[in-house]
Amino acid sequence: MMYLIRNPFSRSRNFLSRIRRYRRIFTLPSAVRMALPFADHELVSVNCKELGQQIILRRNTSDTLVAFSILQNREYDFKVDREPRLIIDAGANIGLSSLFLSRKFPNARIHAIEPETDNFSLLKLNCEGRENIILHKAALWPHAALLSITDPNADKWAFSFEENNGTGTTPAITIPQIVSLEGCETIDVLKLDIEGAEKFLFSTGVNDWLPLVRTIVIELHDRYVPGCSNAFYSSICNRPFSQEVIGENLIIHFADAQPQAKSLRHHLHA
């Protein structure tokens, strides 16, 4: 008869491996806390080295993947040709992108847009006390509407929304509304991670706001909503731009925003 002999050190090695992984973005005590075998989805407060503050996330969920993408892989560490004043962070999730951009561009006002209730609750907690981060519990959309979640069972980072004959409960917010609130002449950075809604955003009404934008940071989701890339590139192709790729994000820099922005601002406020 053969007996299976378990390696008494394997569990310890796995635990230490998890600590080393989390240590890349968190302090050592927080890395140990993340590695401990607590329940999935449990809220945990950790000290983030990159952000220089405590953040709250849900253990063993997509929150951890988002944290590594933003804080270790630095997917929003792009360059701009001037200091941003206005940043729109659509699909802000639990706030890590807004916090990263706030630390990178401390003089910018950041409008963080997140429609999902649980995500928004953590967004509020993580961005508490940041006067330059303005929160909107809404979905970015081409026009005013009430929206419904397409798939309520989707992961917290993958919620998408749709119009459903006005029976939805999630309010939409538009880019011109934010521009009107701020009175800025340009949108210095428009960050979009909106799970396929970019197809609709770039399919109608883009001339009302696109000439204002200097830089777009976007993740395209054709795998969820076919046609996202086509709608996006069809909208921007008439403007001179340069493109780079960081992780899953496309970084689009426009060279002609300022002259068009002034005239469009007068149009918006007329």
Side-chain angles (χ1 to χ4, degrees):
M1 180 180 295
M2 297 182 62
Y3 293 91
L4 177 64
I5 301 177
R6 296 184 181 275
N7 185 340
F9 300 105
S10 61
R11 186 170 298 179
S12 296
R13 282 201 300 267
N14 290 336
F15 178 65
L16 292 175
S17 177
R18 291 197 300 271
I19 291 177
R20 284 194 294 269
R21 179 170 179 260
Y22 290 122
R23 186 74 173 86
R24 298 169 189 167
I25 57 175
F26 303 132
T27 60
L28 180 57
S30 294
V32 172
R33 194 176 305 122
M34 286 293 295
L36 290 171
F38 293 124
D40 291 354
H41 301 273
E42 182 178 8
L43 294 180
V44 57
S45 178
V46 291
N47 196 334
C48 177
K49 295 185 290 185
E50 176 69 35
L51 299 176
Q53 69 170 73
Q54 294 276 330
I55 59 172
I56 298 173
L57 48 77
R58 295 161 290 211
R59 291 173 44 83
N60 297 328
T61 67
S62 58
D63 292 357
T64 304
L65 300 177
V66 171
F68 275 99
S69 294
I70 294 173
L71 305 176
Q72 178 179 291
N73 301 338
R74 303 178 67 84
E75 292 194 356
Y76 296 118
D77 194 15
F78 53 88
K79 295 181 180 180
V80 294
D81 60 1
R82 74 176 193 184
E83 185 72 12
R85 291 180 55 209
L86 173 60
I87 297 174
I88 297 176
D89 180 1
N93 195 254
I94 64 171
L96 303 189
S97 54
S98 293
L99 291 170
F100 184 91
L101 292 171
S102 176
R103 190 171 175 88
K104 180 177 176 65
F105 304 118
N107 296 319
R109 282 172 62 81
I110 300 172
H111 284 257
I113 303 168
E114 173 55 47
E116 201 278 322
T117 299
D118 291 341
N119 289 344
F120 187 80
S121 296
L122 290 183
L123 173 66
K124 285 179 63 177
L125 290 173
N126 287 330
C127 295
E128 187 176 8
R130 296 294 187 106
E131 295 183 359
N132 67 320
I133 301 179
I134 301 90
L135 308 183
H136 303 273
K137 189 181 185 302
L140 191 65
W141 205 250
H143 52 260
L146 289 175
L147 307 175
S148 301
I149 296 176
T150 304
D151 180 6
N153 297 316
D155 290 331
K156 294 296 185 182
W157 57 273
F159 278 110
S160 59
F161 289 79
E162 62 184 359
E163 290 188 63
N164 192 13
N165 298 320
T167 60
T169 58
T170 299
I173 190 170
T174 69
I175 293 175
Q177 283 178 318
I178 295 174
V179 171
S180 182
L181 285 171
E182 289 294 327
C184 289
E185 294 180 346
T186 60
I187 302 165
D188 295 293
V189 177
L190 173 60
K191 173 259 180 181
L192 300 171
D193 188 1
I194 51 179
E195 306 305 323
E198 63 269 19
K199 176 182 178 179
F200 309 105
L201 187 68
F202 285 96
S203 294
T204 179
V206 292
N207 291 332
D208 291 339
W209 55 266
L210 185 59
L212 291 172
V213 181
R214 298 182 62 84
T215 297
I216 296 178
V217 182
I218 185 169
E219 181 178 342
L220 295 169
H221 297 88
D222 293 83
R223 61 192 183 275
Y224 301 146
V225 182
C228 290
S229 295
N230 184 65
F232 175 64
Y233 282 110
S234 295
S235 295
I236 70 171
C237 65
N238 292 323
R239 293 185 61 188
F241 67 88
S242 61
Q243 174 179 298
E244 61 178 312
V245 179
I246 303 178
E248 295 184 329
N249 293 309
L250 298 175
I251 318 296
I252 305 294
H253 299 288
F254 296 108
D256 63 343
Q258 189 63 37
Q260 297 182 52
K262 290 183 178 179
S263 61
L264 184 56
R265 183 196 172 192
H266 293 316
H267 170 72
L268 288 171
H269 289 275

